[in-house]
Amino acid sequence: MSRLFSVPGDNPDLLKAQFEVFSSQVPLMYSIVLINAWALALNFMDVAPAWISLHLPAGFTLVCGLRLMGWWRARHIVPTAAAARQALTQTNLFALLLTTTLTAWALALYPYGDAQMQANIAFFIGISGLGVIICLQQLPSAALIAAVVINVIFVMYFSLAGVAAFAGMAVNLLLVSVALLLVVSVQFRHFSGAVSARRKLEAVSRENFRLANLDSLTGLPNRRQFFSHLDETFAAANGRRLAVGIIDLDGFKPVNDLYGHKVGDGLLVEVGRRLSALMHANVHIARLGGDEFALTVADCPEDADLLTFGERICTALRKPFVLPEATVQLSGSIGFAVFPELADSAQELYERADYALYQGKRSNRGHAVLFSGSHVVEIEQEKRIEQALSHADLDREIVVFFQPIVDIQNGRTVAFEALARWTSPVLGPVPPGQFIPVAERIGLIGQLTRVLLRKALATAADWPEDVVLSFNLSTHDVSSSDGAVAIVGIILASGIDPKRLDFEITETAMMYDFVQAKAAIDMLKALGCGIALDDFGTGYSSLSQLHALPLTKIKIDRSFVTDLDKNPASFKIVKSLLALSSDMGLRCVTEGVETEEELATLRKLGGQFVQGYLLSRPIAEDQVAGFLQSAAAEAAGNGHRASA
């Protein structure tokens, strides 16, 4: 019985829903009560004392008005469950007082009226009671209290009045009240079920929203959530410094290819944990996808402190990752951009951080780079190059220069590397280090490769049969089956013996799609072409990958050759690479030789094939024949002096 007449507190969501619905029904309930009360009072004003027919209704109106104002002010308030239960419990008490008072007041008017007026009293009690029960249907305890009070008083009073019609009305009111309470009970169960279903739906929606904004592998926020957070943080920055950092792992793909995706996934999880451990309260970290992560730094510190933070991240990523299957090592590069100094929007802030990352991976891999004013100049320059390159007549504007590769044991020129040169009618001469990355980005590199290869092959057709053409292939060329087929077609159409061709590929190109790149290389090797791995030692290819490739040559990057005679670390690296190439049965070309001391050191280490400014800068196609003649004459002179 106590539970029937009280407000349960075990369902907070139901309590708040009851409060919300009841607060909207209060005006209707009080309107029914007060209109009926004043209608009854007006009927008795001429026959009943003023304190009953006027003062008491006025008192009801004042009390009900105060209650109505309280509920009206609370109609838009979302209370706590405890506050809602307290308000509903007070409603129970007020329902008891209101129905008792109104019923007693109406019956107090009974002696002053005739039969018709007494019938109005019965009608008032019945209609008002039923109206209150209906308005209280979302609060069953208050509806039950109202029904019990009204029916007990009404039935007892009119049953004892000795009027058969009134006794019948009392019984009829009791039956209707019971039926209404049953309806209220059913309706409340439906209401309670709807609240419960809404709660479950909201929980599912929250979980779906959380999952939609969560990276399922690392547990970090995902790309969608990162950009949403960036927009919100940027909008709230109000001129305060805000930084975006983009992190890219260096060497992840070889680990993935070597050990499989399971190990790669485990590595990404550990990277996510290591990055999360470095974050501060004002730093938000997310995984954008693949091996790329991003962060926002609110209330960004000074540039020097930001770069120090970035270097801590890079240092942490260089530490070995101990996984159940293997211990692996990689590094990470990070690009930063800061608002408001060099970005006007959240999108521009992200794009400039991405540009800083791109430049860092080209020139300072494994470290933090901050977007600067010089990068703005570079971007503008790249835009001009992009516009000019997009409208360029490549067949007319692109020419090929050739840099000799010399056998320093006998002085003979064994090959020429083809190098692109572009003179734009708009921009003038543009260095290859500037236009080739742009061509790769805008998808023109394949077309550029085909133009260069046709021109280089046409020039090489006039060379001696023992001089090889060395030609560079881009990532796009070896990662696309269509690109490889087009290259084969150009070779066959040229009439050049494919054995006179060496194609140079970089380790970065192999990392992009090792399977497709290997298929393209196998196709070229089957044709008879040589395959050289360019910039050897600067990438992340594993020895197992090198062994799997049909290589004929490796090229030692110029970064290891500079000051070779003075730098013990470079000396050891070059010595090891020369020994490795010998053990693998590969020719080895050393790039970037610029001083006599470097050349002498290479001879001492047993190096044979050399390329660099000391021997010759790149020369135009019409200078090749003269270079070969002078080189042959010099080699012959050296031979005569040696024999003498």
Side-chain angles (χ1 to χ4, degrees), residues 170-414:
V171 172
N172 189 46
L173 177 62
L174 177 61
L175 294 175
V176 173
S177 297
V178 170
L180 268 182
L181 288 175
L182 291 175
V183 171
V184 166
S185 177
V186 172
Q187 286 293 102
F188 184 73
R189 281 201 300 273
H190 292 324
F191 176 75
S192 178
V195 171
S196 178
R198 186 179 70 177
R199 182 179 69 248
K200 292 177 181 178
L201 181 60
E202 289 174 350
V204 170
S205 298
R206 286 193 300 269
E207 180 64 12
N208 287 340
F209 181 80
R210 187 185 71 85
L211 292 176
N213 289 275
L214 189 72
D215 177 52
S216 59
L217 179 62
T218 63
L220 295 174
N222 61 11
R223 185 183 190 89
R224 173 182 175 180
Q225 205 280 335
F226 169 78
F227 283 106
S228 175
H229 175 83
L230 175 59
D231 289 338
E232 293 173 2
T233 308
F234 188 89
N238 292 325
R240 297 192 301 272
R241 281 167 58 91
L242 169 66
V244 166
I246 303 177
I247 304 167
D248 187 77
L249 302 182
D250 305 316
F252 172 75
K253 193 172 189 309
V255 172
N256 215 26
D257 292 339
L258 179 62
Y259 296 105
H261 291 289
K262 181 179 179 183
V263 174
D265 288 348
L267 178 58
L268 289 174
V269 170
E270 291 303 316
V271 168
R273 289 174 181 168
R274 194 171 290 186
L275 290 175
S276 297
L278 294 170
M279 300 301 113
H280 307 302
N282 63 327
V283 181
H284 175 270
I285 182 75
R287 180 187 175 215
L288 298 183
D291 61 347
E292 196 171 53
F293 297 79
L295 53 89
T296 57
V297 185
D299 296 319
C300 174
E302 295 301 316
D303 291 350
D305 294 331
L306 181 63
L307 285 173
T308 299
F309 174 58
E311 287 299 329
R312 282 205 306 271
I313 293 175
C314 294
T315 300
L317 292 175
R318 281 193 290 270
K319 295 178 181 178
F321 289 85
V322 181
L323 304 173
E325 297 84 357
T327 297
V328 298
Q329 192 158 9
L330 43 73
S331 65
S333 303
I334 180 169
F336 281 112
V338 179
F339 166 83
E341 286 88 339
L342 291 170
D344 297 324
S345 66
Q347 182 64 27
E348 187 176 47
L349 186 61
Y350 172 81
E351 289 174 353
R352 294 193 162 182
D354 190 51
Y355 186 85
L357 171 66
Y358 170 74
Q359 294 299 325
K361 288 178 75 69
R362 290 178 60 190
S363 60
N364 198 22
R365 188 184 293 267
H367 294 279
V369 175
L370 180 64
F371 187 89
S372 63
S374 63
H375 289 137
V376 176
V377 176
E378 291 174 7
I379 290 175
E380 292 301 319
Q381 186 178 31
E382 287 188 3
K383 287 180 179 178
R384 291 194 295 271
I385 292 174
E386 180 178 332
Q387 286 290 334
L389 193 60
S390 299
H391 298 90
D393 182 350
L394 296 181
D395 283 311
R396 184 174 60 86
E397 298 174 20
I398 293 288
V399 297
V400 186
F401 273 52
F402 300 90
Q403 187 172 33
I405 299 172
V406 178
D407 183 344
I408 60 175
Q409 301 297 332
N410 56 28
R412 188 174 67 86
T413 301
V414 296

